[in-house]
């Protein structure tokens, strides 16, 4: 028996008045921007670091302009390419200045991009080794969680189990928030 998931047939247009149509994804953008803006203002008002809630008003304006003026295809491509270039520069800077923890973090970000792009795990492995060498167990735990997820997707259950167990052990010891997701990766292995 093959299980399938049937998606409902939903009209992409939420509201149409004459030639003007508002699509569901536009409403999702609006809701996300407004909820995010209000949440950031709420956090800023409670921040002990003196962050101005008014700064998020400016952010809302620029974020809205970015969503409206920049097509999604361009945002995604430029975002990934730009992120990879930025983290490659961060890695080079960390290497130049001997910043071991920042090297591990840059490798982690580059490895995450690889994971989403090609499912390669080499840079995540390098990030894990760099985090351990730098004495950054929390970064190593998060990298192990990402490695476990990648190994599950690749069908490499033993490697997934090992990586998840490493992540869980550190997360329990340091009370990290990565613990619940790491446990969910361990469940199917």
């Amino acid at each position: 028996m093959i299980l399938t998931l049937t998606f409902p047939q939903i009209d992409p247009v939420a509201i149409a008045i004459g030639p003007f149509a508002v699509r569901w994804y536009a409403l999702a953008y609006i809701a996300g921007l407004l909820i995010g803006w209000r949440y950031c203002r709420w956090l800023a008002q409670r921040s002990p670091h003196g962050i101005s809630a008014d700064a998020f008003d400016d952010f809302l304006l620029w974020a809205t302009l970015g969503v409206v003026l920049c097509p999604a295809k361009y945002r995604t491509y430029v975002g990934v390419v730009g992120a990879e270039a930025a983290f490659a520069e961060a890695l080079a800077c960390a290497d130049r200045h001997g910043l071991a923890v920042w090297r591990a973090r840059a490798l982690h970000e580059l490895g995450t991009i690889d994971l989403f792009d090609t499912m390669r795990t080499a840079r995540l492995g390098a990030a894990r080794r760099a985090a351990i060498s730098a004495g950054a167990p929390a970064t190593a735990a998060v990298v192990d969680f990402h490695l476990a997820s990648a190994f599950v997707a690749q069908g490499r259950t033993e490697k997934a189990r090992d990586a998840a167990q490493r992540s869980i052990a550190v997360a329990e010891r340091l009370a990290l928030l990565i613990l619940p997701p790491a446990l969910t990766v361990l469940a199917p292995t």
Side-chain angles (χ1 to χ4, degrees):
M1 179 170 122
I2 298 175
L3 298 176
T4 60
L5 179 62
T6 305
F7 291 99
Q9 296 297 321
I10 298 174
D11 186 355
V13 176
I15 303 166
I17 302 172
F20 180 73
V22 176
R23 298 184 180 275
W24 287 107
Y25 76 87
L27 293 177
Y29 271 121
I30 292 167
L33 286 166
L34 292 176
I35 291 168
W37 169 63
R38 294 300 300 165
Y39 181 63
C40 286
R41 284 186 59 84
W42 180 81
L43 287 175
Q45 290 168 349
R46 287 151 184 77
S47 172
H49 304 293
I51 299 171
S52 167
D54 293 335
F56 291 102
D57 296 345
D58 292 338
F59 170 75
L60 176 66
L61 171 69
W62 292 110
T64 303
L65 287 174
V67 167
V68 171
L69 299 177
C70 186
K73 183 178 178 182
Y74 182 73
R75 259 195 320 272
T76 304
Y77 175 75
V78 170
V80 172
V81 171
E84 188 162 13
F87 288 119
E89 175 57 30
L91 177 60
C93 181
D95 285 340
R96 274 193 310 273
H97 299 286
L99 303 171
V101 173
W102 290 103
R103 181 178 192 283
R105 293 185 69 176
L107 280 168
H108 175 213
E109 297 298 342
L110 289 165
T112 302
I113 291 169
D114 288 347
L115 183 64
F116 288 123
D117 188 29
T118 61
M119 290 299 289
R120 290 178 306 190
T121 58
R123 283 201 277 201
L124 283 175
R128 181 179 186 279
R129 290 187 297 278
I132 290 169
S133 174
T139 299
V142 174
V143 171
D144 272 330
F145 165 67
H146 287 155
L147 282 168
S149 301
F151 293 145
V152 165
Q154 294 169 351
R156 299 161 67 185
T157 54
E158 285 300 317
K159 284 184 149 296
R161 185 177 300 114
D162 291 345
Q165 287 173 337
R166 288 190 308 261
S167 179
I168 290 165
V170 174
E172 286 176 334
R173 192 170 68 243
L174 299 178
L176 300 175
L177 295 177
I178 196 68
L179 181 60
L183 288 169
T184 63
V185 170
L186 188 59
T189 60

